[in-house]
């Protein structure tokens, strides 16, 4: 065997503590630009809302609905668009650019359910699609209901009008 | 024969008599495309589930490796392999198809060199004549099991890595023509407290450094004894950290070429893979497909492959545990180079 012998035990073992190493590694990781992400989220989220507004106006003027009534079909259309884009494999690519901009609107919620349903269809309709569809959306619903409960309690105690 | 503390020296010089690599569309779009035996144009490979597709990759790679080695299915005696799936199910199904005695191993992305080291030890000790070492990974099965559904719109940070779709297999024999497996250094678990599964390069870099240094200490060698030293899947972040750690520890890596399979398999600037590639197949397809071809062409005399693995489970990181990592190094020589 050939070697330009260095002799055993030549190289020292790692002497860094976990804390020192984490700082060492942190210095060598690319930074995530918060400002850039915020601007992208503002633009993309704003664009999705603008499209939603357009759809709502369409229902208001074409079907003579008021703004409140036009809300439901608008949400349905936005969900449909999101589901189609998810099935075409486009939504996740948009999200890589848009970040929170495509995650926060109702389209992001639809994407979380649709993607889970697609992914787990191989495990069957009940144990796969049914059981996993709310895998990520479930948290939104749970904490949404919990938050609504506390808002409702606060509403009741401080009595700012109550029922309309 | 044990050499030093953690190195196995294969004095009977087992030979890799045949290899095969099968990859997916993204790897086929990368700079090493020409070196792979088969490129699937679609991620699902015509299968009903991602899991079935991953299994198919390994079955195809194993069959091709047997063919490339010039042996028959009956001559294959043992199969050593593992993958990233729960209970290493892809390898088990592939072993079912092969129908040979099977040792399932788990080393996450270090499985490639772990299985090659074990296969070489079996052959070196005379306990087998034709042993297959194989591993596979699929981008979508890994996403599904470790992260989110594949179509879920979540933004990945720049430190994230892209799991490779592919499988690599090698057949080790006591003699024949092909690269020689000279020795293997088995790594220990190194965990310096990185918890972010989207930053596996940083988690694994210390394990790679630990094994590289142990290898030099056990063998009395230095980086200059290798024409190239590659890590498995540290990608851009981990490779940078490992390079600086080795420098910090006084290892003269400038004597050799130090690279990473996760950086070689993709065109990082063009393909959207964040920091680079990862997965069991990453070091397997780059080594068996690309590096061994260059070795046999005469470009290298001896190379060291340090496959790195992040041994986290989907449960462990959700429970806030840090990521335990390991690296196994295997030294491979061109056959006419005698020690």
């Amino acid at each position: 065997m050939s070697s330009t012998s260095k002799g055993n035990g030549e190289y020292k073992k790692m002497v860094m503590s976990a804390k020192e190493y984490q700082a060492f590694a942190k210095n060598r990781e690319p930074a995530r630009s918060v400002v850039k992400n915020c601007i992208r989220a503002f633009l993309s989220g704003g664009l999705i809302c603008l499209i939603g507004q357009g759809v709502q106006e369409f229902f208001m003027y074409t079907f003579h609905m008021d703004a409140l009534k036009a809300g439901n079909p608008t949400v349905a259309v936005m969900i449909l668009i999101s589901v189609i884009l998810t099935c075409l494999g486009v939504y996740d690519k948009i999200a890589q650019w848009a970040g929170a901009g495509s995650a926060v609107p109702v389209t992001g919620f639809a994407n979380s359910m649709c993607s889970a349903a697609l992914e787990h269809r191989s495990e069957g309709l009940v144990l796969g699609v049914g059981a996993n569809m709310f895998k990520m959306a479930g948290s939104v619903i749970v904490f949404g209901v919990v938050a609504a409960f506390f808002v409702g309690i606060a509403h009741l105690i401080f009595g700012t009008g109550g029922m309309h | 024969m044990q050499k030093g503390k953690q190195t196995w020296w294969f004095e009977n010089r087992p030979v890799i008599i045949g290899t095969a690599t099968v990859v997916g569309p993204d790897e086929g779009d990368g700079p090493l495309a020409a070196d792979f035996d088969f490129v699937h144009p679609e991620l699902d490979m015509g299968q009903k589930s991602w899991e079935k597709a991953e299994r198919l990759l390994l079955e195809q790679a194993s069959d091709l490796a047997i063919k490339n080695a010039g042996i028959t299915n009956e001559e294959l005696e043992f199969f050593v392999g593992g993958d990233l799936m729960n209970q290493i199910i892809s390898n088990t199904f592939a072993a079912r198809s092969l129908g040979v005695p099977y040792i399932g191993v788990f080393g996450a992305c270090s499985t490639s060199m772990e299985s090659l080291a074990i296969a070489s030890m079996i052959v070196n000790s005379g306990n087998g004549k034709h042993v297959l070492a194989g591993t596979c990974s699929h981008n979508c099965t890994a996403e599904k099991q470790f992260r989110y559904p594949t179509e879920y719109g979540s933004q990945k940070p720049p430190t994230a890595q892209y799991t490779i779709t592919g499988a690599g297999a090698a057949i080790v024999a006591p003699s024949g023509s092909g690269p020689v497996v000279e020795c293997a250094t088995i790594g220990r678990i190194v965990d310096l407290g990185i918890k972010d599964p989207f930053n596996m390069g940083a988690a694994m870099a210390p394990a790679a450094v630990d094994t590289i240094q142990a290898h030099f200490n056990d063998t009395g060698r230095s980086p200059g004894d290798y024409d190239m030293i590659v890590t498995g899947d540290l990608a851009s972040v981990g490779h940078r950290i490992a390079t600086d750690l080795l420098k910090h520890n006084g290892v003269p890596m400038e004597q050799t070429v130090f690279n990473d399979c996760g950086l070689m398999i993709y065109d990082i600037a063009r393909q959207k893979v964040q920091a680079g590639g990862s997965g069991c197949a990453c070091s397997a397809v780059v080594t068996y497909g690309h590096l061994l071809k260059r070795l046999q062409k005469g470009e290298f005399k001896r190379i060291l492959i340090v496959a790195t693995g992040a041994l986290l489970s989907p449960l462990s990181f959700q429970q806030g545990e840090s990521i335990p990592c390991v690296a196994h190094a295997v030294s491979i020589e061109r056959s006419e180079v005698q020690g």
Side-chain angles (χ1 to χ4, degrees), chain A:
Chain A
M1 123 211 157
S2 72
S3 82
T4 54
S5 186
K6 286 281 287 182
N8 281 7
E10 177 84 11
Y11 300 116
K12 60 184 178 191
K13 285 269 175 196
M14 292 280 298
V15 282
M16 261 184 214
S17 71
K19 217 174 166 186
E20 284 170 334
Y21 174 69
Q22 282 158 32
F24 184 90
K26 191 96 205 139
N27 282 332
R28 287 156 180 81
E29 287 160 16
R32 290 182 85 168
S33 170
V34 177
V35 177
K36 193 169 87 180
N37 264 339
C38 285
I39 293 169
R40 284 178 173 191
F42 177 78
L43 291 175
S44 55
L47 181 68
I48 291 172
C49 294
L50 193 67
I51 295 169
Q53 189 61 46
V55 175
Q56 192 179 19
E57 299 285 328
F58 169 79
F59 280 112
M60 283 164 72
Y61 286 99
T62 315
F63 298 105
H64 308 292
M65 294 170 166
D66 60 32
L68 204 63
K69 260 195 173 153
N72 282 342
T74 304
V75 170
V77 169
M78 295 312 285
I79 288 175
L80 185 69
I81 294 172
S82 166
V83 167
I84 291 170
L85 290 177
T86 303
C87 293
L88 292 175
V90 180
Y91 203 89
D92 59 327
K93 295 192 172 60
I94 297 172
Q96 181 62 34
W97 189 88
S102 64
V104 174
V106 71
T107 50
F109 188 81
N111 164 257
S112 76
M113 291 186 67
C114 177
S115 62
L118 281 174
E119 194 77 329
H120 294 281
R121 74 184 189 277
S122 61
E123 289 103 274
L125 275 178
V126 177
L127 293 177
V129 175
N132 287 294
M133 220 167 156
F134 284 91
K135 207 168 154 184
M136 284 159 297
S139 301
V140 180
I141 294 185
V142 168
F143 293 112
V145 170
V146 170
F149 173 77
F150 284 110
V151 170
I153 295 275
H155 205 60
L156 192 73
I157 294 170
F158 301 110
T160 48
M163 307 290 275
H164 286 287

Side-chain angles (χ1 to χ4, degrees), chain B residues 96-169:
Chain B
R96 183 180 70 179
S97 307
L98 282 168
V100 294
Y102 161 61
I103 302 174
V105 292
F106 179 77
C109 313
S110 69
T111 306
S112 58
M113 290 305 119
E114 185 183 18
S115 57
L116 183 64
I118 295 170
S120 304
M121 189 169 66
I122 293 172
V123 171
N124 187 62
S125 60
N127 284 296
K129 283 190 287 293
H130 295 117
V131 185
L132 177 78
T135 189
C136 58
S137 57
H138 193 295
N139 180 273
C140 300
T141 59
E143 287 292 318
K144 181 177 173 179
Q145 181 177 300
F146 288 97
R147 296 168 200 117
Y148 301 114
T150 43
E151 297 303 333
Y152 178 59
S154 69
Q155 192 185 43
K156 294 211 169 100
T159 51
Q161 291 175 233
Y162 192 85
T163 307
I164 279 186
T165 301

Side-chain angles (χ1 to χ4, degrees), chain B residues 262-274:
Chain B
L263 291 172
M264 296 163 83
I265 189 153
Y266 295 123
D267 182 347
I268 306 285
R270 179 175 59 85
Q271 294 179 285
K272 291 194 171 75
V273 292
Q274 289 91 41

